[in-house]
Structure formats: structure tokens, C-alpha cells
Amino acid sequence: LEIHPTHLSDEGEYKCRIVVWDNTGNSTEPSVPISKEARMMLKVNVPPEKVEITHLTSGRNLSLRCKSEGAKPPADILWTKTSPDGVETEIPDLSKTREIEPAGELYDTAEQIFYQLQENEMIAKISCVVRHHNTNTTIYKNITFVSPAIQNALKVTMQRFAEPVLYSSIENQDGQDNKAGLVKISADPGFKVPYNTSVTLKASAPGVFPEPRYLWWVGDQTGIAGRELHIDNLEEDKSYYVLAENPLGRVVLEVPVHITTSDYSQWNDSSRDGDVIVDDTTGGLDTGAIIGIV
């Protein structure tokens, strides 16, 4: 008997019976049925369907909750912390609570821990590791906490109008870490352009939630809202300003744009698609600042 694919409804006891007719070698006697049977219990295991992690922060105190949904039998959960040099260690079972709830024929497992970041922890990557031994399944759900001292290491012209955010965070799956909290400025065709060239400045903040609002201005002109600022026919060096703001913080960045000499080929290399990012070592704009993230 082959069952493919298996479903939860296939679980149960199966019985196999073999019957042999035996007349003990005497053709005149009626045959006697001899039967043998075997029984087997089939259990259907189901790996976790979904894993999610939520967190609350208060200063350096973290409350983390990880939930595994739709597994049979219930999945196991453990917590690990990875150092900046890549060493992963298990977080001890301190102040940990676990809940297992039935969801029909499947089970949801949730676990909550409380953790305090040390003063010297500038970056803390914490992982919820969900293991389902019956199906040989392991799922990582990671969350990284980054100190503003690291995020603001780039040269920056800025001013804060709100209380500094202690930690920002970005959630990711399967170890795919990204930098969070950096406000990035790009210019098309570049931050240095020939005389009478039109320029488009763009602001973005990858990984920041809620999404910031942007307001651009120059001098005492009225501000222009939006991610982009279009400058027509630039005739002189100018500094433009952009305010990036969300409910957690505000930051103002200065964006200088310069007029080049007639030899400007190095700023208009077509292989770069006209996009100069903030960490361009050939003379682009160095700027970045944390805004905040829930």
C-alpha cells in the first residue's frame, strides 16, 4: 500500500491480512483457511507553516516573543545571540515562558523571553530558532538591534529635533541581515555636474518603519514635500536641505551640489547609470543618520 501524498486524514491504524488455504495434503478433505495479520499505526507529522517574531523595547530591556504555527507535534523553540564576529551562543533559559495551543489537529508554540542589552553591545543579533525534529526542519527568524553610535559613524551634517532613539531594529529571515536606519541621498546625474545642468536629488531610508516623510528646501524658499527634489539648470554651487521625519524622530541633512570644470567626464560615467550613492569615494556625499524603527 502506497500513500502519496499523505494528509492528516491518513493517520490511523492499518491492518494487513494474509490468508492461506490448506487441506493438509488430502484432496478429499475440505480446505481450511489459515490467516495471519499485522497491524501498524501511521502517524503523520507536519512541519511549522509560519514563524513570526515580535518585540518591545524599553531602553536596553528587550521583550521578545516568537511563535511557530501549524506544526504536529508541537515545535521546539530556542534563542541564540550572534556576536559581531559571527559567534553564535544560546541564550540561557532565564525569564522564559512557553505556551502550546492546539489549532485543530495542529499545534502553535509561542515562547517569550526578556533580555537586557549590555552597555558595550553596539550590535546584537538575536535569533529565534524553531526546530521540528520529526520532520528534520529548522527555521531561523532573526532580529538585529543596532546602536546609533554605529549607524552615525559616517560624516554627517545634521541636527536632532527629538530625543535620540536608543536602538533601531530590522527584522529579517534566514540570516539575511541589512543595515537599518540610514538615510541615503543619491543624485542624478551626480553631486558634481556641469554648469546649467538639471539635477534630481532622491532620499530614502531602507529598513525604517514607519516610512519617513521628506521635506526639501534651499535658502528661505518654501519647502517641497516628497522623496525627490528636481533642480532645473543649476548655475552655482548650492546646499539643499532635507528633513526626514517619522513618529520616532527627525533629522535634517545638508546636501551640497557643486558645479564642475569643463572636465567632468569622471562624474558622468555611463556605466554607473548616473546614480551616485552616499558612500562614493570619488567625491560623492557622505551622510547618514538614524531615524528610528518600531
Side-chain angles (χ1 to χ4, degrees), residues 2-14 42-47 72 105-106:
E2 180 178 351
I3 304 174
H4 179 78
T6 54
H7 301 280
L8 282 174
S9 58
D10 297 320
E11 185 170 280
E13 184 182 67
Y14 289 77
L42 175 65
K43 291 185 177 181
V44 178
N45 299 316
V46 181
K72 181 177 177 293
E105 297 181 84
L106 305 177

Side-chain angles (χ1 to χ4, degrees), residues 188-189 264-275:
D188 183 11
Y264 56 87
S265 57
Q266 58 173 322
W267 305 106
N268 290 308
D269 185 354
S270 59
S271 65
R272 298 176 59 183
D273 296 330
D275 188 20

